[in-house]
Amino acid sequence: MFEAAVIKMIGMGILETLYMVFVSSAIAYLIGLPLGIILVITDKNGIHPMVAINKTLGFVVNIVRSVPFIILLITILPFTRLVVGTTYGANATVVPLIVSAAPFIARMVEASIKEVPEGVIEAAKAMGASTFQIIWKVLIPEAMPSLITGSAIAITTILGYSAMSGFVGGGGLGDIAIRYGYHRYQTDIMLVTVVILVIIVQLIQDIGLKLALKKDKRIS
Amino acid sequence: MDGREVIVKIRDLDKTYYSKYGKTHALKDINLDIYKGEIFGIIGLSGAGKSTLVRCINFLELPTKGEVIFDGLSLSSLTEKELRKARTSMGMIFQQFNLLAQRNALDNVCFPLEIAGVSRAKARERALELLELVGIADKAKSYPSQLSGGQQQRVAIARALATNPKILLCDEATSALDPNTTSSILELLRDINQKLGITIIIITHQMSVIERLCQRVAIIDKSYIAELGKVTDVFTNPQSEIAKELILSHGIKDISFTNERGRKLRIVFDGRSTYEPIISNIVLEAKAPVNILYADTRNIDGKAVGEMVIQLPEDELLSSNIIAYLKQININFMEVEENV
Ligand SMILES: Nc1ncnc2c1ncn2[C@@H]1O[C@H](COP(=O)(O)OP(=O)(O)OP(=O)(O)O)[C@@H](O)[C@H]1O
Ligand SMILES: [Mg+2]
């Protein structure tokens, strides 16, 4: 029902979207995971209390999280240009996606790790584990199912943000939907891209939940 | 006890918690020597400071004042690293077991060995040995969620023993278990104490646990040690109010034994029953005090042999409680008329 060019364009859009989401999720996790762990352990009841650092980081995270993505994207355009040399296309979208998702991920990671029972951490301490060993051998593995579920949520949120960036020519499926559906009134193309987005979200969500369930040894 | 080597020495220990609601003096003036190889009990009501005390022994909680000397080392003089090393010589088990939910039994026991830098192969070998020792080698691949409470506590015990500790700290280790499982875990602890010579410090609010396992006991009441001594002494002749309350239960403190007309029972220990502190059991189970008029018993190879004459309290209900209890545990006894 579509001509070859349109199909090719949608195919490219899918790849571009996956590229943006994958790269920005990976980098956002590289920042958000340690940040979340630091938020937990430096808490005044954490295993390595550092209240000043905890308060400062918490404040910065909250500020960035309260800025709506589309505003953040525009606000940091100069920074984006500085980093990737352009403000258009997939690479330019990756930058604000990371900035916006990292604090969000940090909070998700924090919540997951806080689920690890106090007593288990105490037992590890009693066995002579260092702070680093507790993080690496207790907190992360014990929180893994919850971290995986969280990552599915984080990735689908990033996918949603990436579609928004279509408004400023950010590339990917969102870009196509806005260009054809909003500017040219080609509703059919817009619908197809939306359906594809929905399918991708479903897939990520399903895979995440299945992985988490499979990993979790608490359910026998 | 004289001349025995001290493994844990606690001197003038205070612990105060500060919070925005004010101060809590959890422990005050604690002085305690725990001897190598003994099973030492700490008992007290909820909030008395038992957990705080045991957590001060391995410095999970830092004392506000005073000293803890473990195996000759003053813990407050140690660096972080030295303290972590010292902790590998102190095993600990908990009411909630605190196993790693995402690791199977074997890997849970491997955990402290990994922490200590033992190679994977060696750790697994040792872990299997320990699971064997605690009697659940067949559950090595099971995850905590697939194990009963008693089995989880066995894994926790194996884990606590992995690094060859000198002492084992038990904070309410049987409080989450049913009576049968409690018995089997207590047996296991006694076994470990005897076979491996590990000093065990047991915290509990159950008198029966102390009575069945410990040689000495400290009773903690409102942050202070109210009474300290051999279990047999404390049980048969409690001095402090709190000890009387814990042992005799509430309210029956002033029953007179001077009454000549009280019924007397001759209890015969014919060696069939394993040795049990019958009298303190009577006190605990029947919730009634008794007077020992005459006793000639010997503990021969773990069996009680001999006889004992006890005077029952005047109160009919209490007396019948005691008689019912003696029948229940299948002890030979008869009522005696003559004065002993
Ligand atoms: N981290 C803490 N911060 C403030 N107060 C505490 C803390 N831990 C314990 N306390 C207080 O110290 C006192 C002693 O507590 P502890 O846990 O040692 O009692 P316990 O004898 O073990 O009681 P239980 O039998 O209920 O376990 C209590 O009043 C308790 O509220
Ligand atoms: Mg306690």
Side-chain angles (χ1 to χ4, degrees):
Chain A
M1 87 197 205
F2 292 118
E3 18 179 317
V6 174
I7 292 175
K8 194 175 167 214
M9 175 186 73
I10 292 177
M12 283 301 291
I14 294 175
L15 286 182
E16 232 172 29
T17 291
L18 290 180
Y19 164 81
M20 285 190 291
V21 170
F22 178 75
V23 171
S24 47
S25 297
I27 299 175
Y29 257 94
L30 281 181
I31 302 165
L33 186 67
L35 200 56
I37 291 169
I38 291 171
L39 281 172
V40 177
I41 67 169
T42 59
D43 186 86
K44 70 176 190 306
N45 297 317
I47 54 173
H48 202 101
M50 290 161 84
V51 178
I53 288 186
N54 188 274
K55 289 247 162 76
T56 313
L57 280 180
F59 183 71
V60 173
V61 162
N62 285 348
I63 294 280
V64 181
R65 279 200 59 196
S66 16
V67 181
F69 174 71
I70 201 76
I71 308 240
L72 183 110
L73 183 145
I74 293 160
T75 317
I76 66 162
L77 278 177
F79 175 70
T80 304
R81 193 195 312 277
L82 193 78
V83 178
V84 289
T86 171
T87 57
Y88 283 98
N91 279 334
T93 305
V94 164
V95 176
L97 279 180
I98 293 168
V99 173
S100 177
F104 169 68
I105 288 170
R107 286 296 186 205
M108 300 266 285
V109 167
E110 184 189 17
S112 293
I113 287 188
K114 279 200 167 152
E115 285 171 27
V116 178
E118 200 62 45
V120 173
I121 298 164
E122 177 153 304
K125 266 197 223 167
M127 288 182 263
S130 65
T131 301
F132 184 76
Q133 284 171 322
I134 292 176
I135 294 170
W136 205 240
K137 286 182 175 288
V138 179
L139 297 183
I140 295 178
E142 288 295 295
M144 193 48 90
S146 172
L147 286 171
I148 293 173
T149 316
S151 74
I153 297 171
I155 294 170
T156 49
T157 305
I158 291 172
L159 184 74
Y161 287 172
S162 83
M164 262 190 249
S165 68
F167 266 110
V168 290
L173 289 173
D175 203 340
I176 294 171
I178 284 158
R179 261 188 289 139
Y180 287 81
Y182 186 69
H183 296 301
R184 297 192 202 166
Y185 303 108
Q186 285 186 326
T187 327
D188 49 353
I189 293 184
M190 184 183 75
L191 268 177
V192 169
T193 57
V194 169
V195 168
I196 293 171
L197 280 171
V198 170
I199 292 172
I200 296 176
V201 168
Q202 279 298 334
L203 276 178
I204 294 172
Q205 204 64 258
D206 276 8
I207 292 171
L209 281 183
K210 289 231 171 70
L211 264 181
L213 272 179
K214 189 159 175 281
K215 260 253 154 213
D216 198 347
K217 307 301 185 206
R218 286 172 299 183
I219 314 144
S220 47
Chain B
M1 295 287 166
D2 286 344
R4 286 182 67 179
E5 211 177 325
V6 174
I7 180 101
V8 178
K9 192 194 289 251
I10 298 173
R11 284 294 173 270
D12 302 322
L13 184 132
D14 282 9
K15 175 70 193 184
T16 310
Y17 290 109
Y18 296 92
S19 70
K20 56 182 166 227
Y21 309 108
K23 307 195 265 190
T24 311
H25 296 286
L27 292 172
K28 272 189 203 159
D29 278 339
I30 305 294
N31 283 285
L32 206 54
D33 283 344
I34 290 164
Y35 299 118
K36 215 167 236 180
E38 76 173 326
I39 304 184
F40 187 89
I42 296 171
I43 190 164
L45 301 175
S46 189
K50 306 181 295 292
S51 295
T52 306
L53 177 55
V54 82
R55 291 158 49 82
C56 280
I57 294 177
N58 63 4
F59 258 46
L60 281 181
E61 210 66 78
L62 298 183
T64 312
K65 182 180 149 271
E67 265 204 296
V68 176
I69 295 155
F70 168 70
D71 203 21
L73 290 174
S74 168
L75 294 186
S76 47
S77 72
L78 302 182
T79 62
E80 264 296 308
K81 204 174 162 196
E82 289 166 332
L83 178 62
R84 290 202 301 269
K85 177 117 198 312
R87 279 183 184 148
T88 61
S89 299
M90 301 187 246
M92 189 169 191
I93 58 173
F94 308 83
Q95 180 171 1
Q96 297 307 330
F97 324 126
N98 293 340
L99 296 175
L100 295 160
Q102 307 297 342
R103 285 185 177 223
N104 65 25
L106 186 73
D107 290 337
N108 260 287
V109 182
C110 284
F111 180 80
L113 298 164
E114 281 170 31
I115 295 292
V118 176
S119 78
R120 181 94 187 115
K122 277 230 178 74
R124 289 177 74 92
E125 192 182 325
R126 170 112 182 100
L128 265 176
E129 241 172 70
L130 284 158
L131 287 177
E132 197 83 55
L133 176 81
V134 299
I136 45 164
D138 55 322
K139 299 285 184 196
K141 296 283 176 205
S142 301
Y143 288 89
S145 65
Q146 301 165 321
L147 298 173
S148 72
Q151 290 169 333
Q152 289 190 55
Q153 195 60 292
R154 282 169 191 268
V155 176
I157 291 171
R159 179 175 73 171
L161 296 177
T163 49
N164 279 317
K166 297 192 167 103
I167 63 173
L168 180 61
L169 307 169
C170 314
D171 190 353
E172 302 275 7
T174 58
S175 299
L177 305 174
D178 65 51
N180 284 339
T181 315
T182 296
S183 295
S184 72
I185 293 291
L186 294 182
E187 275 312 310
L188 176 62
L189 289 176
R190 194 207 315 276
D191 248 33
I192 285 164
N193 171 257
Q194 283 171 357
K195 281 193 197 144
L196 310 178
I198 295 173
T199 309
I200 299 184
I201 299 172
I202 287 194
I203 288 197
T204 180
H205 61 264
Q206 295 167 295
M207 267 304 194
S208 58
V209 169
I210 300 282
E211 192 224 329
R212 286 152 77 175
L213 213 56
C214 303
Q215 284 113 44
R216 291 195 308 140
V217 62
I219 299 178
I220 299 205
D221 184 33
K222 304 190 185 87
S223 323
Y224 290 96
I225 293 185
E227 195 157 341
L228 172 68
K230 285 189 191 169
V231 171
T232 44
D233 295 344
V234 174
F235 270 60
T236 47
N237 189 14
Q239 298 298 312
S240 58
E241 280 305 307
I242 180 73
K244 287 177 191 164
E245 189 180 325
L246 282 167
I247 291 164
L248 304 175
S249 92
H250 310 270
I252 30 169
K253 287 171 201 157
D254 296 314
I255 290 174
S256 156
F257 288 112
T258 52
N259 188 312
E260 284 292 328
R261 287 169 301 155
R263 294 160 73 190
K264 302 180 195 79
L265 292 186
R266 182 189 304 274
I267 302 176
V268 180
F269 301 92
D270 58 6
R272 275 184 310 175
S273 56
T274 32
Y275 185 76
E276 276 186 299
I278 301 286
I279 297 302
S280 32
N281 273 345
I282 292 175
V283 171
L284 282 172
E285 296 289 329
K287 305 276 183 288
V290 297
N291 203 11
I292 301 173
L293 300 175
Y294 170 77
D296 180 21
T297 57
R298 280 172 303 265
N299 180 357
I300 298 175
D301 210 4
K303 306 272 189 242
V305 176
E307 60 175 357
M308 189 181 275
V309 178
I310 61 171
Q311 184 178 37
L312 300 181
E314 205 184 350
D315 185 305
E316 269 304 321
L317 185 65
L318 292 181
S319 302
S320 57
N321 273 352
I322 291 174
I323 290 170
Y325 174 69
L326 288 173
K327 282 191 180 139
Q328 181 204 322
I329 60 170
N330 229 345
I331 286 283
N332 256 336
F333 70 94
M334 63 201 91
E335 199 143 347
V336 286
E337 309 294 335
E338 80 280 345
N339 271 332
V340 194

